[in-house]
Amino acid sequence: MSVGQLPEVPLKEECAVSKLLFRQENAAWLATPSFVPHAALIVLRFVIAVFCVVTIIWSGADENSPKWLIFLTNWGYFVLTVAVIGLFVLSVEHSRLGYTHRNKSAESRQARQAEWRWYHSLVVLLVTMAADMAIIITALYWTLLDARINFVSISTHALNAVFILVELLCMGNVKLHLLHLVYGVAIAAVYVIFSVIYTFSGGTNTQNNPYIYKPLDWKGAPGTGVAIALPMVLIGVPLVHVLLFFLVKARTHVALKLAKKRDHDTAMV
């Protein structure tokens, strides 16, 4: 399946309630590159996946505490890591199916590669949440917290956003749906609720302070926590998702135009 075959979904359709669900689509677009060769897509996804796995292991070993699990950064990076591993596996599976069915007709081969299964929906969900979380986490870290400059910090608060933007805008053809912003909002809301419960249950951070993050000090400054958490969940995450949605639509539009131009130039030869 070429990028030229990927449809542009009208904005009106994106607002349909049915788009809240992960409806079956052509699974091949999850493994189809937008602006890079197919082999390069597989290699780049593999490199990013390995880097994320190394970083998450390094981060956990550096923290060396079960409290590693309480930080939003690590929630987001874990989702990103699983998402990029999923994308890599789908790319390999797409190529395997093409090779296995190489002796069959092009229509039969493409039909097999296009079959949508439950794990395709799972990967799209993970990519959607990872994208929203990566941008929000990066923005919050550099604006509200005492940022540290080291390998883990840069990897989890800068490169995370770079990786997801490169995937969405330069490498792959993963589509985002407008109404799927609810999933990013949901995980942000779950984290806020978790932080409240954790704090009032007597939980502390790795410095034994009675909060996870100073701006979310629910005991000492609940008003500040509400002033940060509510806008983040109800405004910040939706805005990030909408921005990414339109950037991805622009990518699809440009990729389609380039594909049509290539097809036209080939036909003229």
Side-chain angles (χ1 to χ4, degrees), residues 215-233:
L216 297 182
D217 184 358
W218 299 109
K219 287 182 177 179
T224 301
V226 171
I228 292 172
L230 279 184
M232 177 191 72
V233 173

Side-chain angles (χ1 to χ4, degrees), residues 33-44:
S34 52
F35 303 113
V36 299
H38 186 76
L41 177 66
I42 296 177
V43 171
L44 288 170

Side-chain angles (χ1 to χ4, degrees), residues 93-110 112-113:
E93 174 68 3
H94 178 83
S95 297
R96 186 193 68 80
L97 289 173
Y99 180 79
T100 303
H101 296 80
R102 64 190 182 282
N103 295 324
K104 298 184 179 180
S105 66
E107 292 78 10
S108 175
R109 184 171 62 252
Q110 290 175 359
R112 181 66 182 86
Q113 290 175 315

Side-chain angles (χ1 to χ4, degrees), residues 26-32 45 87 90-91 116 120 123-124 173-174:
N26 191 322
W29 56 260
L30 283 172
T32 304
R45 283 179 169 176
L87 288 171
L90 291 182
S91 294
W116 188 273
H120 293 106
V123 171
V124 174
N173 263 308
V174 177

Side-chain angles (χ1 to χ4, degrees), residues 231-252:
M232 177 191 72
V233 173
L234 301 179
I235 300 175
V237 175
L239 280 178
V240 165
H241 186 87
V242 170
L243 175 61
L244 290 174
F245 167 77
F246 281 108
L247 287 174
V248 168
K249 279 189 72 69
R251 176 215 69 196
T252 301

Side-chain angles (χ1 to χ4, degrees), residues 19 22 43 80 85 88 100 109 113 137 180 204 231 244 254 264:
K19 287 294 184 181
F22 293 92
V43 171
L80 173 66
I85 291 173
F88 168 69
T100 303
R109 184 171 62 252
Q113 290 175 315
I137 288 170
H180 285 181
T204 60
L244 290 174
V254 172
H264 178 268

